[in-house]
Amino acid sequence: MSTALIILAAGKGTRMESDLPKVMHELGGAPLFAHAWAHGRALDPERVVIVAGHGAELVEAAARDIDADVTVVVQEEQLGTAHAVAQARSALEGFDGDAVVLYGDTPFTAAETLERLAAARDQADVVVLGFDTENAGRYGRLVMDGDRLSRIVEFKDATDEERAISLCNSGVVAAKALTLFDLIDAVGNDNASGEYYLTDIVEVANTRGLSATAVSCAENETLGINNRAELVDAESLFQSNARASALENGVTLLAPETVFFSHDTVIGREAVVEPNVVFAPGVTVESGARIRAFSHLEGCHVSKGAIVGPYARLRPGAELANNAKIGNFVEIKNAQIGEGAKVNHLSYVGDASVGEAANLGAGTVTCNYDGVMKHHTHIGARAFIGSDTMLVAPVTVGDDAMTTTGAVITKDVPDGAMAVARAEQVNKPGLAIKFFARLRALKARKGK
Ligand code: UD1
Ligand code: MG
């Protein structure tokens, strides 16, 4: 059965006290709504429809960044969850598969849970994801009749007896898309909130002789985010999940609680991550690499056996080949560092390619920016760049070539050549002593 995801993301999120729409706040470096979507991918969706409202342009742009084929529809006024789902109707015109409704502000519903939900569609026309909790608070309650779900009652509309039910509605629903839209047509807004409740489709389904059931999941999978404190709690849950799965996958984390992951961080087996490392989005680290303490990585790739840090910064486009070494206070941006090449101390390498086994001395800087444009630097295989060399791009240093310490390289260096590009040293006998004597005398006169 083909599947469409409908992700509800129209709410403003008033309690975030933010100019950004709620679903654009980030968790693990990705906007909130991207998480529900990512888990929904387990269902191999043929279509994805995002229902945006507040800040729809921002949500649409972020959604297109993730997948250019996504459909974003706008719910102009937030009249309730059923009304929100109804906005997806025309986008799914002619779609004959199942629709699964997810909330953009609920990031932890696991892929396996969604698979169980989808599988339960064999037993019922409408399947709702529920969870048992001791703190049912203001959640909608699932009124069960054996395995059958009779109806969902919203907290505001519930009797005391119904409020005592501990099985709650997560909001996730699966049904054939055509059935879903049919049922929604029958939903009114005559309730305590004056909203069109998606939850009412269950009762409508039962009165029409269709069947409904519930599948349950752990409470923490249904955690929704409504304010910044909840976002912080969610980030901390996201991080602890990410740390646990890194450990399960055979990554060594010396102090897991000090390592921060993004939604898309990929780290190979037997890689070692020392304390206080941040993986911003877009990082892949291969097996056996070592990321030493206090390093920050973003949009980069680290190959087998490479060593990064301590105190290194890999920015987007940094690609380290096998066994490359990037040491302390080194920044690499948009640069390929060849196999076994070393950039060990206090350097900036940007918009560059570095050949295998090249050695860049302390304080090497690629001067890649002229104030208007960026230029490329190429350093050949086995080249030796002397400490404190300024490579004024665009420039090429050939294979097996060398630059002397303190060189300012403005012209290409041929293969095998040594480039000497610094003023010659002149020693003036006794001048230092005379110079300081003169300065001290000056200071003494001024002091009077
Ligand atoms: C909803 C459920 C409730 C469930 C709870 C779980 C209904 C009527 N109630 O209540 O049974 O226990 O979620 O968290 O469905 N949204 C839109 N457009 C709208 C309204 C909502 O896009 O017009 C989005 C919101 O941004 C949010 C989600 O739908 O992501 C849920 O809406 P919310 O107002 O939080 O519903 P609850 O009252 O929490
Ligand atoms: Mg809610």
Side-chain angles (χ1 to χ4, degrees):
M1 172 72 82
S2 52
T3 303
L5 302 179
I6 300 173
I7 301 175
L8 305 191
K12 179 165 189 260
T14 310
R15 283 177 284 157
M16 294 298 281
E17 292 295 345
S18 172
D19 295 336
L20 272 185
K22 174 163 75 175
V23 293
M24 286 300 293
H25 283 263
E26 288 190 353
L27 177 73
L32 267 181
F33 74 91
H35 291 264
W37 183 356
H39 298 310
R41 287 213 181 84
L43 303 178
D44 199 12
E46 198 173 286
R47 314 265 192 98
V48 177
V49 183
I50 294 176
V51 182
H54 287 278
E57 322 74 52
L58 287 175
V59 174
E60 176 158 8
R64 295 225 176 285
D65 262 1
I66 295 168
D67 180 353
D69 291 336
V70 69
T71 306
V72 178
V73 296
V74 178
Q75 183 192 24
E76 297 290 353
E77 258 187 301
Q78 281 72 58
L79 303 179
T81 44
H83 180 258
V85 173
Q87 309 310 305
R89 184 196 305 263
S90 53
L92 293 178
E93 181 92 58
F95 177 74
D96 195 32
D98 268 10
V100 175
V101 178
L102 302 173
Y103 289 176
D105 64 357
T106 305
F108 294 114
T109 312
E112 300 79 51
T113 300
L114 297 178
E115 282 165 350
R116 278 196 294 119
L117 178 92
R121 274 274 298 109
D122 288 347
Q123 280 106 60
D125 297 300
V126 177
V127 184
V128 171
L129 183 65
F131 61 101
D132 230 313
T133 174
E134 282 169 14
N135 308 302
R138 303 185 65 80
Y139 286 114
R141 307 296 206 269
L142 302 189
V143 182
M144 301 297 294
D145 176 11
D147 283 347
R148 295 285 155 207
L149 175 59
S150 306
R151 59 191 200 103
I152 305 176
V153 56
E154 287 305 291
F155 178 82
K156 278 191 191 169
D157 303 290
T159 62
D160 284 345
E161 202 180 323
E162 287 164 337
R163 287 181 182 183
I165 297 173
S166 62
L167 185 61
C168 293
N169 175 30
S170 73
V172 177
V173 178
K176 196 171 161 67
L178 295 166
T179 309
L180 180 68
F181 294 123
D182 255 8
L183 295 172
I184 282 174
D185 279 341
V187 169
N189 66 350
D190 182 16
N191 52 48
S193 313
E195 285 184 10
Y196 294 88
Y197 291 161
L198 179 60
T199 45
D200 283 353
I201 64 168
V202 171
E203 202 170 358
V204 178
N206 282 309
T207 58
R208 291 188 181 177
L210 299 176
S211 57
T213 192
V215 159
S216 38
C217 69
E219 183 178 359
N220 62 9
E221 288 186 48
T222 67
L223 203 96
I225 286 137
N226 298 298
N227 56 44
R228 290 181 193 256
E230 286 171 1
L231 184 61
V232 168
D233 289 345
E235 184 69 35
S236 128
L237 177 60
F238 172 86
Q239 293 301 339
S240 55
N241 290 346
R243 289 162 192 151
S245 73
L247 293 170
E248 264 167 44
N249 294 335
V251 177
T252 301
L253 301 177
L254 300 186
E257 66 287 2
T258 68
V259 176
F260 293 84
F261 294 91
S262 285
H263 63 105
D264 58 355
T265 309
V266 177
I267 304 189
R269 211 163 159 264
E270 305 289 9
V272 177
V273 181
E274 294 185 5
N276 298 297
V277 170
V278 175
F279 295 101
V283 177
T284 49
V285 175
E286 290 183 20
S287 295
R290 187 174 188 103
I291 312 300
R292 306 200 58 194
F294 295 99
S295 295
H296 188 282
L297 292 80
E298 177 176 11
C300 62
H301 179 77
V302 178
S303 301
K304 285 195 177 56
I307 299 178
V308 175
Y311 297 97
R313 179 165 183 211
L314 300 187
R315 290 174 51 203
E319 283 178 33
L320 312 191
N322 291 350
N323 303 316
K325 280 195 185 157
I326 302 304
N328 41 273
F329 306 106
V330 171
E331 174 180 346
I332 310 282
K333 182 215 71 166
N334 186 32
Q336 298 79 49
I337 309 297
E339 183 160 350
K342 293 179 188 163
V343 191
N344 272 338
H345 334 267
L346 300 155
S347 293
Y348 171 64
V349 179
D351 302 307
S353 45
V354 175
E356 57 167 17
N359 188 325
L360 279 56
T364 296
V365 172
T366 54
C367 309
N368 60 327
Y369 185 48
D370 57 18
V372 180
M373 284 181 291
K374 304 277 172 67
H375 301 282
H376 187 82
T377 299
H378 175 72
I379 296 169
R382 299 168 303 280
F384 183 94
I385 305 300
S387 294
D388 199 29
T389 294
M390 301 291 121
L391 297 150
V392 183
V395 74
T396 291
V397 177
D399 292 348
D400 303 294
M402 177 178 177
T403 69
T404 55
T405 297
V408 178
I409 302 296
T410 54
K411 291 183 283 200
D412 288 353
V413 183
D415 289 353
M418 179 190 291
V420 185
R422 62 186 187 208
E424 204 163 329
Q425 182 171 333
V426 182
N427 288 340
K428 312 243 173 168
L431 185 57
I433 289 167
K434 270 195 229 160
F435 174 75
F436 285 115
R438 206 180 301 149
L439 284 186
R440 281 186 201 104
L442 195 63
K443 187 177 178 192
R445 272 208 305 282
K446 278 197 172 165
K448 272 180 197 158

